[in-house]
Amino acid sequence: MKDDSLRLFFALRCPPRLAEAITTWRDDLHLPGRPVATANLHLTLVFLGQQPLTQLPTLLSLAASVQVPVFDLHLDHLGRFNNGLLYLAPSRPPEALQGLAQGLRDALQEAGIRLDDRPFRAHLSLLRRCPRLPDDATPSFDWPVSHFGLFASEQSAHGSHYRQLQHWPLRPNEAP
Ligand code: ATP
Ligand code: MG
């Protein structure tokens, strides 16, 4: 890895107890494939790819300017992409999730940072190289989302590791 750049992405890191519950549920499906480590469970908001370290101050300040209220994510859909990636997703993504991903994209583009134009597709990767979906699976996991982070994806002997560089709180709901 180059030491003057990092492989970066903005994401929601799955809280540890929820991540544990999700991977236990996944393991009980007994599907073949390469499981994602519990500590790595996350939902990518925007993938930045390799970025020079000199870009970090800009990234940190633009992320701080994104204002989105806290929201609940109900993960109730198990899907599989054509590349064999098994994932969990919300069947009805909350508006605030879309707003957060789009708000980051807009701020990045305004700062002149180039992004690919693939549409945002919220998903939590569970298992790679999975040959099929299970016959019946009815996931139901609730994730109260209160902050988002900027992560560096790093390779180790044990596979990918995501190092959180900074995190930002979402706007608390006002009392009724
Ligand atoms: P590995 O590549 O080691 O199997 P990984 O895919 O989780 O693990 P990265 O490739 O660093 O690790 O990706 C970090 C996050 O960014 C993941 O959520 C991944 O799905 C997402 N990502 C990676 N490449 C892209 C891309 N080209 N476009 C959109 N998202 C991407
Ligand atoms: Mg990858």
Side-chain angles (χ1 to χ4, degrees):
M1 193 184 70
K2 289 185 247 139
D3 58 10
D4 58 351
S5 70
L6 291 169
R7 183 174 169 91
L8 297 177
F9 61 104
F10 284 104
L12 308 175
R13 171 167 272 169
C14 192
R17 278 170 60 184
L18 177 62
E20 197 68 57
I22 290 174
T23 52
T24 300
W25 175 83
R26 172 203 60 197
D27 295 346
D28 285 346
L29 295 173
H30 298 292
L31 289 167
R34 188 159 66 84
V36 175
T38 304
N40 277 358
L41 251 57
H42 69 283
L43 188 153
T44 295
L45 297 164
V46 186
F47 179 72
L48 297 161
Q50 210 68 31
Q51 295 287 331
L53 293 179
T54 51
Q55 193 74 277
L56 271 179
T58 304
L59 295 175
L60 299 181
S61 90
L62 72 79
S65 75
V66 174
Q67 294 289 317
V68 173
V70 295
F71 58 90
D72 290 322
L73 206 50
H74 183 51
L75 301 169
D76 58 349
H77 173 71
L78 184 70
R80 181 182 165 277
F81 293 135
N82 288 338
N83 64 1
L85 180 72
L86 190 80
Y87 65 87
L88 266 182
S91 59
R92 278 171 298 158
E95 234 171 75
L97 173 64
Q98 188 67 37
L100 177 56
Q102 193 57 49
L104 284 166
R105 287 193 82 88
D106 291 347
L108 288 158
Q109 260 148 2
E110 224 166 278
I113 296 165
R114 289 174 61 99
L115 301 170
D116 68 31
D117 49 13
R118 279 196 267 170
F120 172 59
R121 192 145 176 214
H123 68 279
L124 210 89
S125 300
L126 296 183
L127 192 62
R128 296 172 199 282
R129 294 194 226 118
C130 176
R132 59 181 168 81
L133 276 168
D135 292 334
D136 59 320
T138 50
S140 179
F141 296 100
D142 288 300
W143 179 353
V145 179
S146 56
H147 58 271
F148 68 98
L150 176 65
F151 296 85
S153 174
E154 299 174 338
Q155 290 299 317
S156 78
H158 311 286
S160 285
H161 167 76
Y162 311 129
R163 180 161 59 93
Q164 185 168 268
L165 303 178
Q166 181 68 274
H167 68 277
W168 296 269
L170 300 184
R171 187 156 38 87
N173 277 325
E174 277 150 34

